[in-house]
Amino acid sequence: MGDLQVGKVFDLPELRDRTPVFRDRDEVGRVLAGMLAEYKGTDALLLAVPRGALVIGAILARELRLPLDAVVVAKVTPEWNPEFGYGGVAWDGTVVLDETLAARLGINKQQMEADVWRASDKVESRSRSLRGERAFPRVAGRTVILVDDGLATGSTLRVAIRALTKAGADRLVVAVGTGHREAVEALAQDVAAVYCPNLRETRNFSAVGEAYRNFDQVSEAEAVRIIKDFGE
């Protein structure tokens, strides 16, 4: 395990600030499985952000003998920039907004409400597609490991953490392949630990996909299949 432990952050020093560093999401899954070995065969639950992180989650589920499901969240973004998140919406209706950032971007209350509605609609649609009528897995009283491709601003994981805390999760852990150092350290204050093998400095970070040589899109059909194969 890496020697960096700032606010419960664990990375791998030999991978720090390198890009690209991973062949694909399968490799990230294997690296994270080694870092998360203490959870093997426990009552922990893996929850991956669809769709790409489900591929990482499938490797973790196989290696650690843990159940896997999807945690459906969406960024709240201004209409003019669908990539820049200033908040998030979770599957249970939880909303987290950075109103200071929204004000800095010139987003008024009416625009903010429209952005939240758009994100909520996306969450509802994706939840139906991935889960159908199947109930969300039990999280109360157990360890939950949140899995994502990487961490840029942290807006989607932050709202997932809020929702899972409300649902009674006992211990929350985040596992991501790559991450912006400041965002990772900020998120670590809200969880038990963040595992991020490829930690990157602000000046070197522009996109999660830069850490991967192969960062192909994952189809909805593949995501559904993974959930069925590894779900509880």
Side-chain angles (χ1 to χ4, degrees), residues 8 66 82 105 140 147 162 179 226:
K8 302 162 291 187
L66 297 176
L105 294 170
V147 183
R162 179 78 59 86
I226 290 171

Side-chain angles (χ1 to χ4, degrees), residues 40-191:
K40 186 172 184 176
T42 66
D43 187 44
L45 170 68
L46 293 162
L47 289 177
V49 177
R51 295 184 298 245
L54 280 163
V55 174
I56 298 172
I59 299 295
L60 289 170
R62 187 179 300 116
E63 295 284 332
L64 301 179
R65 300 199 304 271
L66 297 176
L68 168 68
D69 214 310
V71 58
V72 182
V73 291
K75 286 188 293 189
V76 175
T77 65
E79 192 171 13
W80 42 266
N81 188 345
E83 297 302 318
F84 188 87
Y86 66 90
V89 175
W91 69 97
D92 67 340
T94 297
V95 177
V96 173
L97 296 173
D98 185 337
E99 296 190 13
T100 301
L101 179 56
R104 198 181 308 146
L105 294 170
I107 298 169
N108 62 35
K109 185 176 180 180
Q110 185 177 7
Q111 292 170 320
M112 197 180 299
E113 289 174 353
D115 294 340
V116 169
W117 180 87
R118 196 167 56 251
S120 299
D121 190 55
K122 184 184 297 184
V123 168
E124 185 178 347
S125 174
R126 177 152 289 177
S127 293
R128 274 197 312 269
S129 175
L130 291 173
R131 311 189 59 79
E133 299 301 316
R134 198 161 55 84
F136 195 74
R138 175 184 65 85
V139 300
R142 73 196 296 190
T143 294
V144 175
I145 303 172
L146 279 169
V147 183
D148 206 352
D149 294 321
L151 183 61
T153 65
S155 56
T156 50
L157 286 180
R158 192 164 284 110
V159 74
I161 289 164
R162 179 78 59 86
L164 290 167
T165 299
K166 284 166 54 179
D170 180 59
R171 176 181 170 87
L172 289 170
V173 173
V174 171
V176 294
T178 185
H180 177 302
R181 178 190 286 269
E182 290 181 7
V184 168
E185 292 177 356
L187 195 71
Q189 306 311 308
D190 298 325
V191 296

Side-chain angles (χ1 to χ4, degrees), residues 176-221:
V176 294
T178 185
H180 177 302
R181 178 190 286 269
E182 290 181 7
V184 168
E185 292 177 356
L187 195 71
Q189 306 311 308
D190 298 325
V191 296
V194 178
Y195 292 83
C196 177
N198 176 230
L199 198 67
R200 289 153 63 191
E201 297 288 353
T202 305
R203 65 181 180 277
N204 296 330
F205 194 102
S206 61
V208 165
E210 287 181 345
Y212 296 78
R213 287 190 286 277
N214 179 353
F215 198 59
D216 290 345
Q217 293 291 316
V218 175
S219 70
E220 200 83 354

